[in-house]
Amino acid sequence: MASNKKIIEEVSGWLRVFDDGTVDRTWTGPPEAEFLMKQVPPHEEFIEGVATRDVTINPNTGLAVRIYIPEKNTDGQNNKNKLPLVLHFHGGGFSISQANWYMYYHFYARLVRTTCAVCVSVYLPLAPEHKLPAACDEAYAAFLWLSAVAHGESSESWLETYADFRRVFLIGDSTGGNLVHHVAARAGSTDIQPMQLLGGIALHPGFQRAEPSKSFLEMPEIPLLTRDMINKFMSLALPIGSTKDHPITCPMGPLALPLTTLKLPPMLVVVAENDLLRDSELEYCEAMKEAKKDVEVLINHGMGHSFYFDKLAIDMDPKTATQVDKLFEEITNFINKH
């Protein structure tokens, strides 16, 4: 029977919103890129040095995480051998992506191997079905679950065996970087002992303003990020009546809590030189410095937004591969020194 549903909004390649409120996120972009969006099943046996499992942490809301552990140094019998714990928030304009997509699996499996850390990646709720602040709230709920495991109020055997709850870091890519800031800010006003949040890593965070920046207007678009994609994702994700000056998208803006009032851990902000969002990301970094916050900035020279997920480019272009290697080196250094 033919469907009478009409598309009322479309983000080319990524999603279609219908007049009955349903959303189709089937990939319709270039077929050669489809593998990046394929779901990777969890595997508790070690494959290429990493094992993964999916855990539902709140049956009522369906909040779930994917846990990665590295094969080496997985003798967690005493605290000396326990590993840093990295909590990951995926990007996707708050509207697409799943923690089990191949693009994330490929990157975060390598992160776990390279840094010898445990990674917990959150399956975030997506807009427009779940508008902001839903993703923020569930990201923070996942953080509080880690605190509950550290307290012994919840249980998760891999985390109890391998993770050092005194060395917790947040990491997020694209709009996941926005969540790093907001979860860190909320954590700063919460007693999370014995857990300790030692740092946040924002990879090409989705910071924006209602007034477009010079880089947003002038930088060449790439398939992973166009001006139309950004504008449509934000219109789907932001609360009705809000602009990009909303505190979640513009934490350095006048609608957000002043950065000086926030208790934040040291932050590493990674900025791509050719990113449409470059100028607003750098504005955030400058605002953090003015607020006397501990912030390091890494520039990916010659690179575009989220280039580290583009496995086709990494495999074919030595310059891209070199920049990805440097990125992992800097993330590892940041974790090791905090």
Side-chain angles (χ1 to χ4, degrees), residues 140 143-144 146-148 150-151 153 184-197 263:
Y140 188 60
F143 179 79
L144 292 181
L146 294 183
S147 179
H151 270 283
E153 295 162 5
R186 289 172 76 170
S189 61
T190 308
D191 180 10
I192 58 171
Q193 294 292 332
M195 193 165 81
Q196 293 180 46
L197 178 59
K263 182 184 174 188

Side-chain angles (χ1 to χ4, degrees), residues 40-56 65-72 74 105 112 123 145 155-159 161-162:
V40 179
H43 51 86
E44 297 205 6
E45 72 283 7
F46 287 102
I47 298 175
E48 296 182 349
V50 174
T52 62
R53 70 165 49 151
D54 285 352
V55 178
T56 299
V65 297
R66 169 156 292 191
I67 304 175
Y68 297 76
I69 58 171
E71 190 166 15
K72 59 184 178 181
T74 46
Y105 176 84
V112 162
Y123 287 88
W145 173 72
S155 180
E156 206 300 308
S157 60
W158 276 5
L159 298 183
T161 302
Y162 305 123

Side-chain angles (χ1 to χ4, degrees), residues 296-322:
E296 294 178 42
V297 183
L298 171 66
I299 306 291
N300 305 129
H301 294 287
M303 295 292 110
H305 190 78
S306 295
F307 72 95
Y308 41 80
F309 288 141
D310 189 349
K311 190 170 185 301
L312 293 169
I314 294 167
D315 290 345
M316 292 188 293
D317 176 30
K319 184 180 175 184
T320 301
T322 299

